[in-house]
Amino acid sequence: VSESAAKLPSKILELMDGFRASKALFVACKLKIFDHLKDKGPLKAVDIANEIGTSVCGTERLLDACAALGLLEKTSQGYRNTDSANTYLTSDGEYSLHGYIIHSNDHVWPLFTNLESAVKEGSRQNHRAFGRKAEDLFKDYYHSWEVKQRFMAAMHSIAHLTARDVATAFDLSQFKSACDLGGCTGALAHELVQIYPNLKVTVFDLPEVIANISYFQPSGQCTAPVTFVSGDFFKDNLPEADLYILSRVLHDWSDEKIHVLLSKISAVCKPGNALLLAEIVLDEQKTHPPRAVLQSLSMTEGKQRSGSEYKQLLEKYGFTNVEIKITGNLLDALLCFKKNLSS
Ligand code: SAM
């Protein structure tokens, strides 16, 4: 390496190209290139292009880009999935991120294209990205079946990938019943009942979501310990449970809405019972992990919090003994207990 090359700001150069790499990944997933290559020997660009109905020259460039990014292997016989592409990038891979990648392409990308306006105006850019003002974040996701399906698939892929680490972050074997508020497809619920056979889990979510869960249920398993209840956690009575769960819920909402939700949970949670949160916990400087800090740029009405901020928030609503587990996975976990009235 020459002296001038050694001085190049490699981090900055990598960030300059980051958006190209992201988009290449998104488009390869959208065109189902990794699905077409799954369980097949190496395929030539022309064969893949014919199968997916794209131009040969464009497909070859995209396949080369995927090989350059380490997503495909390129040999003299053609292109082949890496192990990681088989696991994470095919739409039916065990820990498929396909759903989240499609959501990133179709929803997050247009929002980030308007980041400059978002920063100038301090608001979410739905109107610029999609021609519609964002009212409630979820009403926006559930206005059409396609968008709802895409959002649920995105939530499912991350929840499935993180569920084991969230479920085992603390020993939850003392609880007989749990209620996962905003539990969406039930990915965490299913993992919990596998790990804690005596636990029954109720997934509570909006009616639009509950009407659409069948697509995401594990096949060939007895799903009896998981039940689904529809309702609005800001307005309706919450199911009774020993353990309440909020996974990736608090960071979406304003302090006023969090006040409504945590007051309700605190009111139904009996002393000694518990609340489990799954969120990305920021460090005290609130610059790490970058993933959480970058997520904030979508400008929902909520915010990401540090460990001490979560602790303070939970204590305000009568929860105590807050424990935080940084899992090393995409979500961390916090467990706290409802205070006894006497303590
Ligand atoms: N807990 C899931 C996870 O971690 O993958 C899903 C997280 S997603 C960001 C938030 C969930 O809260 C969605 O499933 C959404 O439908 C649900 N939700 C939003 N508003 C709600 C409300 N008012 N009542 C009940 N559920 C709600």
Side-chain angles (χ1 to χ4, degrees), residues 110 114 125-134 140:
N114 293 289
Q125 295 295 304
N126 268 57
H127 53 298
R128 287 204 174 80
F130 309 112
R132 254 190 339 270
K133 197 115 194 92
D140 202 54

Side-chain angles (χ1 to χ4, degrees), residues 27 40 51 66 71 90 98 129 131 155 158 193 216 222 234 247-248 275 279 314 319 343:
V27 171
K40 294 209 183 97
E51 243 184 281
C66 289
L71 306 173
T90 54
H98 194 265
M155 293 304 105
I158 300 293
V193 300
F216 299 96
C222 172
F234 293 122
S247 169
R248 291 195 286 172
L275 171 62
E279 292 282 356
L314 293 163
F319 291 96
S343 59

